[in-house]
Amino acid sequence: MAQQAMQPNAGRQKTTGSLFASDHRPHPLQDILLWVTAVVGVTAFISGMFDNLHLLSSWAGLIGILTGLYGQFVSVTTHERFALIMGLGSSAVGFYLGMAHGGLFGGVLG
């Protein structure tokens, strides 16, 4: 027993956590939501700078906002929440720029 007091993790099995998990436990759902939000957010942000890509930026921004909000709802660690906020911000900027340049259905319907 004295050995376990000196080594608190001696009886536990070590698991590798994700990059953003500060509790060193795997969070597969949160990681997927984080990366989807980040990739879609960067896509929406960059494509929002061009007038003719308003469909891509507005839809990518909307998807990024929705996945980022759900990711915030189920996130466990502060690192995940911070990265999700960065993705949410870039998704929102891309979404609003896409809406200003023509919107979700601009020129496609009617």
Side-chain angles (χ1 to χ4, degrees):
M1 281 304 213
Q3 291 84 6
Q4 287 183 350
M6 295 303 290
Q7 299 173 357
N9 292 330
R12 294 188 195 154
Q13 190 179 50
K14 291 201 176 202
T15 58
T16 58
S18 69
L19 178 64
F20 295 102
S22 59
D23 60 353
H24 304 294
R25 293 183 186 157
H27 302 134
L29 174 64
Q30 290 84 354
D31 289 341
I32 290 170
L33 290 171
L34 188 146
W35 288 109
V36 166
T37 303
V39 169
V40 172
V42 168
T43 303
F45 183 77
I46 292 173
S47 64
M49 303 297 169
F50 302 99
D51 291 342
N52 57 348
L53 294 177
H54 62 88
L55 289 174
L56 175 64
S57 62
S58 58
W59 281 105
L62 183 62
I63 291 168
I65 290 170
L66 294 176
T67 58
L69 288 176
Y70 184 68
Q72 283 286 7
F73 182 69
V74 298
S75 66
V76 178
T77 65
T78 305
H79 299 302
E80 292 167 352
R81 292 182 190 118
F82 178 78
L84 281 166
I85 288 295
M86 294 296 116
L88 266 167
S90 60
S91 294
V93 169
F95 175 72
Y96 292 133
L97 286 172
M99 293 300 286
H101 292 155
L104 295 168
F105 300 108
V108 176
L109 297 178

